[in-house]
Amino acid sequence: MFGKRAETGGSALKAPPKAEAEAEIPKPSAGAAAPTATRSSSGRNEPSEEYYETKATIFNALFETIDVSALAGMQADKAREEIRMIVDEIIAIRNVRLSVAEQNQLITEICDDILGYGPLEPLLVRDDIADIMVNGAKHVFIETEGKMQKTNIRFRDNQQLMNICQRIVSQVGRRVDEASPICDARLLDGSRVNVIAPPLAIDGPALTIRKFKKDKLRLGDLVNFGSISPAGAKVLQIIGACQCNIVISGGTGSGKTTLLNALTGFIHPDERIITCEDAAELQLQQPHVVRLETRPPNLEGKGKITMADLVKNCLRMRPERIIVGEVRGPEAFDLLQAMNTGHDGSMGTLHANSPREALSRLESMITMGGFSLPAKTIREMIVGSVDVIVQATRLRDGSRRITKITEVIGMEGDIIVTQDLIVYEMDGEDANGNIIGEHKSTGIARPAFWDRARYFNLEKDLAEALDEAGS
């Protein structure tokens, strides 16, 4: 029965006696057909309702004979083998006719349900998927190659989906339930996770996973993808190496975090870096990195640690660079203060559609934080803190491009003055609907951070890169 440990061989499972199993799982009538699969509109095999009913029956019978605590203490391969043995016996007792491939698929899915992330497992191992979006138990979408697709994957019910969500967030010490229905978390590989549960999500739990490639993309990879030109990449490399304060701006899914990861690759290994994130996803390769993560309130509503708290604490940790995964609120003020008080080379990302809008958003976030400062004072703080804004954009064909590299020059009256160094100009589209364009220099031969580049002996490389971008 449930929770019993097998007495021999250290097994976590104990097969039910044949008579008991037959009583719990009635045999099909003679000649009963195996569950069949129908064909979806996309041409892919889609399991039928009978398949899911069979799977649910076998799954319930399995749980009558499983010792969950013993199974949790096993290695994954050993646990899967134990599950496979008992499921094989249940299938034989029930006399379900399945092909070898169908039976293997059924066993794999049941193992994933118990040990992993259920129906999401085959999606999580695919490196070509950027986003997984689950809208209740029966609707799972993915984004691949910049396009949205509906999959034939589904959960048994909303309770199974909720269990998977709880399993994900509990791994990083968070929770999601009716009392706390919104949760930001991450998978163990750093992929970003957002869960919103009923009663806020009316049609069942909504789970969104922003996946990251196993092999971290570098700036050279972005050049190969056409996200930036070789000359533009060289300019970004110099900007990152000469300790310019950088804000990466862009919309949702535009590649801000990927670009931030790429730019951190040019930080000197001797520098002490402190990262602050809501869900830790940055993958820095330097040896001296301290990773900090915010914390939601506990069950009593206490113990919350905000991004602003983390950024303030960074200043007491002797950082050389502070990197904020995403600037969303009052922490913008603390980040600008850090940039303006000797922590050169600090970086952050925020949501905005252009460099000019990014500056306005910084001003708005500081104002919303309750800082009663004149607008001109806030803008002077921004000018004294931010050196470069890099704009990332997801185009309508699904491709991601760095569309502008813009530097902040100074003030003219109450207006912040900026100038573009490199811009992406679209020239049209090809026969397949892919956008055609190229990165071009605006002709600025000596940027405002020229003296900083010269301090690091990089002015010649900067001049060559800008010249190459303009040719």
Side-chain angles (χ1 to χ4, degrees):
M1 298 302 291
F2 183 82
K4 288 186 178 180
R5 184 189 301 273
E7 299 178 359
T8 60
S11 174
L13 304 170
K14 181 179 180 181
K18 184 172 182 179
E20 180 183 346
E22 289 176 345
E24 293 176 349
I25 312 173
K27 290 184 180 180
S29 58
T36 59
T38 60
R39 209 69 165 157
S40 68
S41 59
S42 60
R44 293 172 293 192
N45 286 328
E46 184 171 354
S48 64
E49 289 297 329
E50 289 79 8
Y51 172 86
Y52 288 108
E53 291 175 4
T54 300
K55 178 182 172 182
T57 303
I58 294 174
F59 186 87
N60 292 334
L62 174 65
F63 254 82
E64 290 295 320
T65 63
I66 196 171
D67 181 355
V68 179
S69 60
L71 201 65
M74 287 185 176
Q75 293 183 352
D77 292 343
K78 177 65 175 174
R80 284 181 178 270
E81 185 59 32
E82 290 277 358
I83 294 173
R84 176 177 290 274
M85 290 170 57
I86 193 66
V87 170
D88 282 340
E89 185 167 346
I90 292 173
I91 289 176
I93 292 172
R94 191 174 188 269
N95 196 27
V96 176
R97 291 182 295 170
L98 295 172
S99 68
V100 174
E102 291 170 335
Q103 185 164 332
N104 286 337
Q105 178 184 349
L106 181 67
I107 292 173
T108 298
E109 290 180 2
I110 290 176
C111 289
D112 289 342
D113 287 347
I114 297 174
L115 304 174
Y117 300 131
L120 297 179
E121 284 286 341
L123 301 181
L124 292 171
V125 299
R126 285 178 54 182
D127 210 31
D128 62 324
I129 295 177
D131 290 274
I132 301 171
M133 294 145 284
V134 183
N135 307 336
K138 297 185 179 181
H139 303 284
V140 180
F141 295 83
I142 61 172
E143 181 196 318
T144 178
E145 297 181 354
K147 303 296 184 181
M148 199 80 70
Q149 298 178 12
K150 189 178 189 300
T151 71
N152 60 359
I153 290 174
R154 53 177 279 186
F155 294 78
R156 285 195 311 276
D157 49 37
N158 284 330
Q159 185 57 51
Q160 184 198 15
L161 173 56
M162 194 64 190
N163 291 340
I164 297 296
C165 293
Q166 291 171 338
R167 184 179 303 169
I168 291 173
V169 303
S170 64
Q171 291 179 333
V172 292
R174 304 198 175 189
R175 64 187 179 89
V176 58
D177 48 37
E178 288 190 6
S180 179
I182 299 177
C183 181
D184 286 316
R186 55 181 166 83
L187 299 179
L188 298 180
D189 64 357
S191 296
R192 185 190 310 165
V193 176
N194 175 267
V195 180
I196 181 164
L200 302 187
I202 298 173
D203 300 320
L207 170 67
T208 308
I209 301 176
R210 171 68 52 81
K211 289 178 78 267
F212 294 101
K213 293 182 178 292
K214 296 177 182 177
D215 298 325
K216 182 168 64 72
L217 294 179
R218 303 184 182 276
L219 207 52
D221 298 316
L222 301 186
V223 172
N224 295 334
F225 295 151
S227 297
I228 187 65
S229 65
K234 194 170 183 180
V235 172
L236 287 177
Q237 177 180 345
I238 295 170
I239 289 171
C242 69
Q243 296 185 352
C244 289
N245 293 324
I246 303 171
V247 171
I248 298 175
S249 166
T252 300
S254 59
K256 298 186 299 298
T257 303
T258 298
L259 179 56
L260 181 58
N261 264 322
L263 289 179
T264 59
F266 303 105
I267 298 176
H268 197 278
D270 291 340
E271 296 185 54
R272 174 174 168 85
I273 308 166
I274 301 178
T275 67
C276 304
E277 303 174 81
D278 282 318
E281 55 191 353
L282 293 174
Q283 304 170 11
L284 275 63
Q285 303 301 308
Q286 285 74 12
H288 199 164
V289 177
V290 179
R291 304 171 72 204
L292 305 180
E293 189 176 57
T294 60
R295 185 178 71 184
N298 58 20
L299 289 172
E300 290 76 31
K302 300 178 181 179
K304 181 177 181 180
I305 303 297
T306 66
M307 184 71 76
D309 296 329
L310 294 183
V311 176
K312 287 178 182 177
N313 192 73
C314 281
L315 302 178
R316 307 184 184 99
M317 299 175 66
R318 203 266 180 201
E320 289 179 299
R321 299 206 196 203
I322 298 173
I323 298 177
V324 179
E326 185 168 336
V327 182
R328 296 179 179 174
E331 66 271 9
F333 179 82
D334 301 293
L335 178 62
L336 293 181
Q337 287 282 70
M339 288 178 169
N340 205 11
T341 54
H343 303 92
D344 294 333
S346 296
M347 305 179 189
T349 72
L350 57 79
H351 283 80
N353 295 322
S354 70
R356 177 61 60 181
E357 288 187 22
L359 296 173
S360 298
R361 280 217 67 207
L362 280 173
E363 185 177 345
S364 299
M365 286 187 285
I366 293 173
T367 303
M368 289 188 297
F371 300 98
S372 56
L373 298 172
K376 185 174 182 179
T377 302
I378 295 176
R379 291 170 189 171
E380 287 174 345
M381 181 188 303
I382 294 173
V383 169
S385 304
V386 179
D387 296 313
V388 177
I389 301 173
V390 183
Q391 182 69 34
T393 304
R394 182 176 181 270
L395 304 180
R396 55 184 169 83
D397 64 349
S399 62
R400 294 167 174 85
R401 298 284 186 270
I402 297 170
T403 52
K404 285 187 179 180
I405 301 176
T406 303
E407 61 175 347
V408 180
I409 301 298
M411 297 276 293
E412 283 188 3
D414 292 339
I415 306 300
I416 298 177
V417 180
T418 63
Q419 67 179 10
D420 297 332
L421 298 180
I422 294 177
V423 299
Y424 179 74
E425 295 184 359
M426 290 185 289
D427 300 325
E429 61 181 45
D430 61 18
N432 297 320
N434 299 317
I435 291 177
I436 302 172
E438 61 178 324
H439 293 86
K440 296 181 180 179
S441 170
T442 58
I444 304 297
R446 181 169 284 213
F449 61 90
W450 179 270
D451 289 337
R452 185 185 294 273
R454 185 169 59 184
Y455 175 76
F456 288 91
N457 198 29
L458 294 171
E459 77 276 13
K460 291 182 180 179
D461 294 335
L462 179 58
E464 291 174 0
L466 290 173
D467 184 62
E468 183 181 345
S471 60

